[in-house]
Amino acid sequence: MRSGFVGLVGRPNAGKSTLLNRLVGTKLAIVSDKPQTTRNRIVGVRSYPDGQIAFLDTPGIHKPLRRLNTRMMDVARGALREVDVVVLVIDATAGEGAGDRYVRELVATARAPVVIALNKVDLMDKPALLPRIAGLADRGLAAEIVPVSATTGENVDRLEAVLLARLPEGEPLFPEDYLTDQPERFFAAELVREQVLHHTHAELPFSTAVVVDAFEEPEAPGGLMRLHCSILVERASQKPIVLGKGGAMIKAIGTGARHALEAFFDTRVYLDLHVKVQEDWRDDPRTLTEIGLPGDERGGRGRRRR
Ligand SMILES: Nc1nc2c(ncn2[C@@H]2O[C@H](COP(=O)(O)OP(=O)(O)O)[C@@H](O)[C@H]2O)c(=O)[nH]1
Ligand SMILES: [Mg+2]
């Protein structure tokens, strides 16, 4: 048996979260076409007949301007340090930019072996893929390069085999049916935030957060889960945008989120949403801790497993 931690890192929008969901077979991480969707470290455990992998999804690597982004980068850097294998997820359809060099420099600091998952190959002509792989191989950053599609699942089994082979020998670290260490209210907030991202544009996706004010589990199976959330915005002018004309936008967000929550928790859900203006929450340590990004005010990073 082999077992250990595998970190999914890379540029924003490379498909790390889509890949995590594909790998664990459950939607643990929300996905959007906007960069910086993932803010936290999300663990997803998958058990195989010959081992177990704990995957760590991480925020995309970018230049941090706000305290929120600094903490997101702490999460990504922390993952690089604590995993047994690093998966550098690269969008095969995206051209190389300055940001990629930054990612390579950061990944080069990891002591763990690096495997490149060259993602989104479903969008590529196969002939165009070969020079891309050759170019990446020339850099010598990765022990192996595996072209995959997180969306279709193409070649993901090959990636899993490559990763398992590189993990240390050992018994599984978690029970066989273990999935994640994030609390349910985290997923609740994320599913609401996914709808906010889906329905908003421009600045709003970056300047919104979702905070769970109250979370009541159903008293009996099939009962009603009650969830009260605040959608934080940074400026008073953003509130009417999230509410929409006659409340149409918040209604659409609520309906979409309720369906997602009911599917995720497999129960009926009562969802109450409020939009709250909280200036500069992105730089407020308390709010950041509340949304699962603890920092120095707690005297170190929380949530470490090992
Ligand atoms: N066509 C295609 N789209 C993908 C693939 N993987 C991710 N995407 C899309 O790329 C966008 C960013 O995905 P996400 O998983 O949120 O990226 P992350 O920021 O790296 O976590 C979303 O619109 C995904 O649907 C893939 O393999 N093929
Ligand atoms: Mg993500």
Side-chain angles (χ1 to χ4, degrees), residues 66-259:
R66 312 288 289 265
R67 184 174 268 142
L68 165 69
N69 308 80
T70 306
R71 292 201 182 176
M72 285 160 67
M73 287 306 89
D74 287 347
V75 173
R77 261 194 299 270
L80 281 174
R81 277 198 303 269
E82 68 183 297
V83 297
D84 301 293
V85 180
V86 173
V87 174
L88 173 56
V89 183
I90 296 179
D91 181 344
T93 69
E96 285 217 21
D100 292 285
R101 211 183 62 217
Y102 184 52
V103 171
R104 277 201 301 276
E105 285 168 8
L106 207 65
V107 166
T109 66
R111 272 182 302 162
V114 178
V115 171
I116 290 179
L118 191 58
N119 190 32
K120 309 197 187 183
V121 298
D122 56 296
L123 300 174
M124 295 274 288
D125 285 337
K126 292 288 173 293
L129 211 53
L130 293 174
R132 190 74 206 275
I133 293 173
L136 288 168
D138 276 350
R139 291 223 164 82
L141 181 63
E144 223 152 331
I145 302 170
V146 185
V148 297
S149 167
T151 298
T152 68
E154 183 183 344
N155 223 26
V156 169
D157 53 348
R158 164 88 189 126
L159 177 66
E160 291 172 291
V162 164
L163 296 175
L164 263 178
R166 290 189 175 272
L167 286 180
E169 283 183 23
E171 290 303 307
L173 302 165
F174 303 95
E176 201 190 311
D177 59 354
Y178 192 91
L179 183 60
T180 187
D181 66 350
Q182 299 278 359
E184 293 198 321
R185 54 194 296 151
F186 170 79
F187 293 109
E190 287 289 272
L191 289 171
V192 174
R193 193 165 62 87
E194 185 172 46
Q195 291 300 313
V196 176
L197 294 179
H198 182 71
H199 285 91
T200 59
H201 308 280
E203 255 300 286
L204 269 171
F206 299 98
S207 47
T208 48
V210 174
V211 173
V212 177
D213 300 316
F215 179 78
E216 269 177 57
E217 295 202 36
E219 281 170 13
L224 192 66
M225 173 182 279
R226 289 170 188 277
L227 183 64
H228 297 257
C229 294
S230 295
I231 300 172
L232 307 186
V233 294
E234 282 195 317
R235 290 190 303 275
S237 61
Q238 293 170 328
K239 189 170 172 174
I241 304 175
V242 176
L243 291 174
K245 228 190 195 150
M249 171 89 91
I250 190 81
K251 199 169 164 205
I253 290 171
T255 305
R258 191 164 49 75
H259 289 143

